[in-house]
Amino acid sequence: MTKVAYITLLGRFPWAVVNTYYKLLTMGKKADRIYVFTEERYKDNLPKVVKALETISKAYNLDPIIETEVVPNYGFFVADKKFRELFSRLEREGYRIGLDITSGRKALVAAAIVQVRKFPVEFIVYMGLLDPDFPDRPYMMIPTHMQPIKNFLGDGDVGNQ
């Protein structure tokens, strides 16, 4: 059985993190561990995002370990090092990596993608929002056709569903 560590990047929109995780669960993707990375300026959103991830996980009878990591604003070099260390540890522990870049800011997204390519990856996803009138709503309050999801690995596991 494949163990998956889900890494999500929190930026301006907490709902983007929560909604992408929820959509992946509805598609059968599950994580044994969840890591939420964010920059200093968004750290105040971490408690409510973690609580939402816990609540959604419990609804699916899951109880993943959830950890957070705060890096300096525009901290590409720090993020690069933190991702490399985390991905190395996860690989040693037998995990495949699922990366969600939906909410992430450029410094974190770039660092995560540069590092993840060296490790066993399950998926790299981005969920779009085709109507800007819906940014701060739960997944189920937004028409699903307005929330396409793309797996950049192109393996068909996660597609525009």
Side-chain angles (χ1 to χ4, degrees):
M1 181 176 218
T2 303
K3 297 188 304 184
V4 175
Y6 181 69
I7 289 76
T8 186
L9 311 177
L10 172 61
R12 284 186 288 207
F13 301 109
W15 278 112
V17 170
V18 174
N19 288 346
T20 304
Y21 180 65
Y22 182 81
K23 182 155 188 168
L24 289 171
L25 285 176
T26 67
M27 298 169 67
K29 294 290 184 188
K30 295 179 174 56
D32 301 285
R33 292 185 182 177
I34 297 173
Y35 298 87
V36 184
F37 276 74
T38 195
E39 291 177 307
E40 184 73 30
R41 62 185 152 176
Y42 301 117
K43 72 179 183 182
D44 291 344
N45 288 323
L46 279 172
K48 66 182 173 184
V49 166
V50 168
K51 180 68 174 163
L53 296 173
E54 289 171 342
T55 301
I56 293 168
S57 295
K58 284 187 172 106
Y60 281 82
N61 295 316
L62 302 171
D63 191 22
I65 295 166
I66 301 175
E67 296 182 37
T68 62
E69 184 73 48
V70 178
V71 299
N73 295 333
Y74 311 105
F76 177 86
F77 296 108
V78 172
D80 189 59
K81 180 178 186 249
K82 298 271 185 192
F83 285 123
R84 183 175 49 255
E85 291 169 352
L86 175 62
F87 297 162
S88 294
R89 181 169 49 92
L90 291 171
E91 181 180 38
R92 283 192 307 274
E93 294 174 7
Y95 285 87
R96 291 186 59 80
I97 298 164
L99 176 62
D100 167 27
I101 61 172
T102 303
S103 181
R105 303 293 288 167
K106 288 180 190 132
L108 288 183
V109 171
I113 289 174
V114 164
Q115 287 304 318
V116 83
R117 65 188 168 82
K118 302 172 188 171
F119 298 95
V121 181
E122 187 74 10
F123 55 82
I124 300 172
V125 296
Y126 177 84
M127 188 166 78
L129 184 59
L130 303 181
D131 187 335
D133 292 336
F134 293 110
D136 294 321
R137 295 186 191 180
Y139 174 76
M140 296 307 290
M141 292 181 68
I142 304 169
T144 55
H145 71 280
M146 301 299 281
Q147 302 177 83
I149 193 162
K150 168 71 175 157
N151 179 7
F152 287 98
L153 295 184
D155 63 5
D157 283 349
V158 179
N160 290 325
Q161 300 181 10

